[in-house]
Amino acid sequence: MYDSLKFYETAVLIYNTIKNPSEHIYPDLRAQEEMKIFHMARSFEALSKAYLASYGLLIVYPSLLIAAVKKGVYKAPRHLEKELNSLSILARQALNPKKMIEKLKHDPIGRSQLPDLLKSTSNFFQQNNEREFASLYNKISEFLRKPVNQRNYAEIMTLRKEITRVMQLKNVHERFYEILKKCIEGNINEDICKNLTQESKEMLSSFSNKEYLLDQILSILDLGFQEMFDGILYASYLARAAEIADYTVGRTEDDEKYLAEIIDHQQEIFDFLSKMQEINKVLIKDDELDDFMSQIEEEARKYFKHE
């Protein structure tokens, strides 16, 4: 996260010099644009490596939520097992910095288990009759599997529109909340109820007279899922720039066209990255969160070592 922020701050510095021609630090405008792109790409790359395990958890969450509401866990145990096994592999990758550097390199999204996790989650969605979710996850997986020189911006825009349309979980969350309320009231006998702690019941009870607050939280969650996928797509698209944007030697004509395409769209990508880095800055300064994540990581390492 800290490395990502360093690359971002350099990109901001170059961005400001571009706006002020008297302070140019590179030979020409195109060179400055390319160095800005390089640092943006490396910032996305570092952020993706930091969030890799979190991405995995958030990717499987909608399928598990829907399955819980529709009791789909029991309909497709084999597909659920494949999905969770894929998540386990991704977590192992995220917990091994050496392998992450050696194997994931500049394309941590495409080279990681993430595309396979999306595919296995798509299959689980399909078994639960959630065809739109299944189709979306499959399309994102196919995009991430492509070689870096075949990922284009037009496809990203198409996927982002579909993500915005499909990733609407508010109604599912409300149905899930209704089940949890019945658990608290003792009016239903579900496996979900058996797993609720007393602290969870107390927290859920506090929402009973604050439906407006719950509504706001669920709306924010939908936006969060959409932005997560936006970040994944941008990072995978810029993986090629992280490799070629800092050197002119060895570039092909296709490389030049690709960099020109990024320059055409860099402002919207940069604006998105800026928003992500504002969150990143807060997280980096949060010592309590850092301690908490260290504990989670340690427990995860113990678990996978035992496995």
Side-chain angles (χ1 to χ4, degrees):
M1 291 168 68
Y2 179 70
D3 290 339
S4 176
L5 188 58
K6 286 195 300 182
F7 283 119
Y8 168 73
E9 294 293 354
T10 303
V12 171
L13 176 64
I14 299 170
Y15 175 72
N16 290 332
T17 63
I18 290 173
K19 292 192 296 182
N20 188 351
S22 66
E23 297 181 5
H24 282 182
I25 55 177
Y26 292 99
D28 54 46
L29 180 59
R30 174 66 185 241
Q32 291 190 98
E33 295 283 11
E34 289 177 356
M35 287 310 297
K36 176 187 171 186
I37 289 170
F38 169 73
H39 285 90
M40 286 167 55
R42 293 301 302 274
S43 183
F44 270 109
E45 174 194 326
L47 207 58
S48 298
K49 289 176 178 176
Y51 289 165
L52 197 57
S54 300
Y55 285 160
L57 290 169
L58 291 172
I59 282 169
V60 303
Y61 172 76
S63 69
L64 299 178
L65 173 69
I66 291 171
V69 171
K70 299 176 70 172
K71 298 184 180 179
V73 173
Y74 306 106
K75 294 179 184 177
R78 185 170 61 86
H79 287 86
L80 174 61
E81 183 180 1
K82 286 184 177 180
E83 178 185 36
L84 296 179
N85 284 342
S86 191
L87 177 61
S88 174
I89 293 170
L90 182 71
R92 290 175 187 274
Q93 291 176 334
L95 289 169
N96 193 321
K98 184 179 179 181
K99 286 186 178 180
M100 187 181 288
I101 293 169
E102 292 175 352
K103 294 186 177 182
L104 305 189
K105 298 184 177 179
H106 294 306
D107 186 21
I109 299 296
R111 286 172 171 258
S112 73
Q113 184 70 12
L114 209 58
D116 289 334
L117 178 61
L118 283 158
K119 180 61 179 176
S120 61
T121 306
S122 170
N123 292 337
F124 187 51
F125 271 129
Q126 191 69 40
Q127 294 301 309
N128 278 280
N129 253 354
E130 292 292 336
R131 292 184 176 83
E132 284 197 326
F133 278 101
S135 175
L136 173 63
Y137 271 52
N138 189 52
K139 287 176 183 177
I140 297 173
S141 175
E142 288 178 351
F143 178 80
L144 301 181
R145 289 177 192 272
K146 289 182 177 182
V148 291
N149 62 347
Q150 293 180 22
R151 301 170 190 168
N152 63 75
Y153 198 80
E155 193 171 354
I156 281 183
M157 296 310 294
T158 300
L159 285 170
R160 287 186 67 199
K161 289 177 183 177
E162 190 165 351
I163 288 165
T164 302
R165 181 179 62 82
V166 175
M167 292 302 297
Q168 302 289 334
L169 294 166
K170 186 175 176 182
N171 290 337
V172 184
H173 274 120
E174 288 173 346
R175 287 164 59 192
F176 186 61
Y177 179 60
E178 288 302 316
I179 293 173
L180 294 178
K181 280 205 302 184
K182 290 178 181 178
C183 288
I184 296 169
E185 295 165 358
N187 297 331
I188 190 172
N189 184 22
E190 295 277 358
D191 287 341
I192 297 171
C193 303
K194 297 173 185 175
N195 294 325
L196 279 179
T197 64
Q198 186 58 38
E199 291 81 2
S200 298
K201 291 179 180 179
E202 290 173 1
M203 181 189 71
L204 290 166
S205 297
S206 68
F207 282 110
S208 58
N209 297 319
K210 298 177 182 177
E211 299 292 340
Y212 68 93
L213 182 58
L214 182 65
D215 184 75
Q216 291 177 17
I217 292 171
L218 297 183
S219 297
I220 291 170
L221 275 175
D222 278 351
L223 288 174
F225 281 113
Q226 292 164 24
E227 290 191 348
M228 175 197 70
F229 279 116
D230 286 349
I232 287 173
L233 292 174
Y234 280 139
S236 64
Y237 173 66
L238 292 172
R240 185 178 173 191
E243 295 177 353
I244 67 170
D246 57 337
Y247 286 106
T248 57
V249 177
R251 283 188 198 166
T252 64
E253 185 178 345
D254 284 342
D255 290 335
E256 296 292 353
K257 289 179 180 178
Y258 162 72
L259 291 173
E261 181 181 69
I262 297 177
I263 290 173
D264 289 341
H265 300 285
Q266 64 174 313
Q267 190 57 57
E268 55 204 78
I269 300 174
F270 186 74
D271 289 344
F272 177 84
L273 179 60
S274 298
K275 186 165 55 175
M276 293 296 294
Q277 289 297 351
E278 286 304 313
I279 299 171
N280 199 18
K281 288 177 184 176
V282 174
L283 294 177
I284 287 172
K285 294 177 181 177
D286 193 333
D287 293 335
E288 186 176 349
L289 175 68
D290 191 45
D291 292 340
F292 174 71
M293 292 307 297
S294 295
Q295 291 174 20
I296 294 293
E297 183 176 356
E298 183 60 30
E299 290 302 316
R301 287 184 190 281
K302 289 178 183 177
Y303 171 79
F304 289 118
K305 186 175 181 180
H306 175 71
E307 285 284 294

